[in-house]
Structures are given as C-alpha cells and as structure tokens.
Amino acid sequence: MDSEENSFVRLEDPQDLQGGGSEMTPEQVRQEIERYKELCSAVEQDNAALQKEKEETEQRIRQVKNTKELIQENLQQHNPLEDLIQTLQSEIFLAKEEKSGLEQEKEMLEKKLEEMRKKSWEDPMMMLPALPERNLVFKGLVTDKEDMNKLMLTPLIRYPLQGGSALITFEKAEVAQRVIEAKEHTVELSHGENLEELDRCRMRVQASPVDVLLPSALEIGLAQSSRSILVSGLPGRGIPEEVLLDKLELFFSKTKNGGSEVESREFLDDCGQVVLTFVHDGVAEQLIARGQVQVPIGKVKYKLKISPYMRGEVTNLQFQPSRCARTVLLSGIPDVLAEEPMRDALEIHFQKESRGGGEVDALGYVPAGRRAVAVFSE
C-alpha cells in the first residue's frame, strides 16, 4: 500500500512559485488552474483504471474460487484413481475365479484320464482298438481265469566253466546225488581188457553240486511313451527298410499331416513295425487319436494303423539260489588226453552203475587253459 503522504496531491505554495511573497498575476492563476485541472483529470483516470483492475481481480478471484469448489465437488463425486483401483480389483477377482475354474477342470480331466488308464489295464479289451494288428499262434496249456495275471518264466542260465572241468547231466536225479556224495572219483583212461594193473592209466576228479541263481520274483512296469507312436500295417519286404523309414519320416514330419519333427525312427524286425519318436510332446497323442492314416509309399497309398508305444521296464527282480538236480560239476581234470577222448572216458566211467553212475543225458568238457560258458535250458 502507498503511504499516507503519497495518497494526496501536493500543491505547491504560491509563495514558492513567486520567490518570496509576491502576488500572482491573473494569467499565472489561470495557468495554475489549468494545471490543476489536468492533474485532477489524470488522478480520475488513474482512479478509474485502478477501480477496473480491482473489479477484474475480484472477478478472477471469484472464478478461481468457483473452479476450486467445482474441482472439489467433482473429486468427491467422481475419483478416477478410486475407479481405477476398483476396476483392477474386479479384474483380479475375475481372473482368480477363472483360474480356480480352470484348475478344477484340470483336476477333473486328470481324474478321468487316470480312471481310463486304470480301466484299460484292468480290462485289456479296452486297449484292443488301439493295439496294432498282428497274427499270433498260441502254444501251451490252457489255464484257469484266476491264473491270467501270473507270468511264467523259462530261465536261460549261463554257467561259466574254467579249464580242466566238465558238466555232466544224468537222466535221473538220484544218480547225480550219488556221484556228488562220493565227492572223489578215479577215472580209468585206458580200457583194454588184457592190460595188466600196472599198465592202466587213471586220474582223480572231484564231483560237486551245481548251484545257480533263479529269479523268484519279477515286476515289470509298463508306461506309454508321450512322444512315440507304433506304426503297423506296413507293406511287405519288397521295399528296402531304409527307404521305408525315409518315406515315413518325410510324411510324419509335416504339420499338415498332423506330425512334427521326427527325432528318431526304429524298425522292429520281429514284428515288421516301426517306432517313430517326435521332438515335441503332444504330437503322438493327436496321431493316436486319429487311429489310421493314408501314407503314400511309392505309387500306392497304404492305410497304416497308429498305436501307442508301450515301453516296459523291470522294476523289481529277486533271485534265490537253486541246485541243479541232475547235473554235476567235475573239476581237477588233468590235461592228459585230447578233448574228444577225454569226453568219451568221462562218459564211459560215469555210465557204469558199478561205480555209482547211470545213464548220461549230456556232457560238456573244457580242456585246461581254456574257458567256456554252459547254457542251461529247461
């Protein structure tokens, strides 16, 4: 604000104008009046301008106040941040509900899949449409239904033999038992009737039982491969194996045929089928669901069957020692005869009942300095 002194127009003293008390002339008075009029007019103009500026300032203050009140009212009635937060919370809630629903659906589908797998194993007939067709010839005995889940094994035993030993199998188990109980046997190597006692050549051999390990319990786990399929119904042997594998890989590697990149291929000689393994998961499942596909091989289209590839793995195998009832191990045989004469000498000796022997079913001899593997079959 201006000070009190600046609030008024200061009029000069006429004596100051006249330089010391002399009176003003009429002309000077008129000039002075005109000057005062101009000053008054200037003051009035300044006052009007100030009044206008005051009104404009008050108007702007009112506008700002109204704008502030309007903004506060809008903020109270409509808060964008709160609306955004509410919208996000609603979307999060809906997403959680959708996720929960998908998880429940996934669990339900997994349960159904597990039930289907159990049913397929409990009822083999359910798997028949998916299995490859193959001609089978059944041999053996007819068994009861209760024995269907039992697995019959025919062991093939390999028994290592050191040099200077032999395995002899008799027709009767009691003969083998007598030979084992005797432990040591004197075998004549010359059998001339007219030879004197001093001219006879003999050797001593030791007899011992043959113990082997036989499987007592066997568990096999079967699992369906997630990336492999079994292709059956292939054409005959007129097409080379490598050409056939190339044709199949070329066909099943194309996405338009429902396939993908092939990781490996294998031709099964025993059944004439092919195993194809893909790089990515899910491809095998889609092809298995189709069941059959038309594949051009050469100038002919063949209808091939697509089946799941089951992979078996031994999960538990237990052994127990078992003694061969009719076989005896002979050891300590010296290297004094050739292989054939030594085999004949042993068989002749152990066939004689007078020496505790009996009918020989089989005899295997390994000369000193050599090794062999004897194979036991049922």
Side-chain angles (χ1 to χ4, degrees), residues 17-223:
L17 297 173
Q18 297 300 326
S22 61
E23 295 182 355
M24 296 175 61
T25 63
E27 183 64 28
Q28 290 177 337
V29 172
R30 285 194 300 270
Q31 291 178 356
E32 192 69 20
I33 291 171
E34 290 295 331
R35 190 170 68 82
Y36 284 142
K37 285 183 180 178
E38 291 177 358
L39 290 174
C40 288
S41 176
V43 170
E44 288 177 355
Q45 290 178 0
D46 291 342
N47 186 28
L50 290 174
Q51 186 67 27
K52 185 177 180 181
E53 288 180 0
K54 178 182 177 182
E55 291 176 356
E56 291 177 353
T57 302
E58 290 177 349
Q59 185 178 1
R60 286 198 297 271
I61 290 173
R62 286 193 298 270
Q63 289 177 352
V64 170
K65 186 177 180 181
N66 292 336
T67 304
K68 179 181 178 182
E69 292 177 354
L70 182 61
I71 291 174
Q72 289 178 348
E73 184 179 355
N74 288 336
L75 287 175
Q76 292 176 356
Q77 294 178 358
H78 182 74
N79 193 337
L81 182 59
E82 291 182 358
D83 291 346
L84 179 60
I85 294 175
Q86 291 179 358
T87 303
L88 291 176
Q89 288 177 345
S90 300
E91 292 179 355
I92 291 173
F93 178 75
L94 293 174
K96 287 182 177 179
E97 282 192 340
E98 184 178 2
K99 179 183 177 183
S100 177
L102 292 174
E103 288 178 350
Q104 292 178 358
E105 184 178 359
K106 178 184 177 183
E107 291 178 359
M108 183 176 64
L109 292 174
E110 287 178 348
K111 288 182 180 178
K112 287 184 178 180
L113 179 61
E114 188 65 24
E115 291 176 358
M116 292 296 295
R117 286 177 177 172
K118 289 182 179 178
K119 288 181 180 179
S120 64
W121 287 114
E122 293 173 358
D123 187 6
M125 297 300 294
M126 294 186 63
M127 292 188 65
L128 290 180
L131 295 177
E133 296 179 358
R134 185 179 180 185
N135 296 325
L136 299 176
V137 178
F138 292 94
K139 296 180 179 180
L141 301 176
V142 179
T143 184
D144 297 331
K145 185 178 181 181
E146 289 76 11
D147 298 331
M148 287 181 62
N149 293 328
K150 293 182 179 179
L151 181 63
M152 303 299 295
L153 292 178
T154 302
L156 187 66
I157 306 299
R158 288 176 168 82
Y159 189 86
L161 279 177
Q162 299 295 327
S165 62
L167 285 178
I168 182 169
T169 301
F170 298 95
E171 291 185 355
K172 295 181 180 180
E174 54 267 23
V175 176
Q177 186 62 30
R178 289 199 305 265
V179 172
I180 293 171
E181 290 176 353
K183 293 185 179 180
E184 189 175 86
H185 298 264
T186 301
V187 180
E188 292 187 0
L189 300 180
S190 54
H191 302 282
E193 294 182 357
N194 299 324
L195 292 177
E196 296 182 358
E197 187 68 20
L198 294 177
D199 295 329
R200 296 180 182 274
C201 182
R202 301 178 180 88
M203 67 177 181
R204 291 181 179 179
V205 298
Q206 285 74 41
S208 58
V210 176
D211 293 324
V212 295
L213 291 176
L214 294 180
S216 60
L218 174 64
E219 294 181 6
I220 299 177
L222 292 178

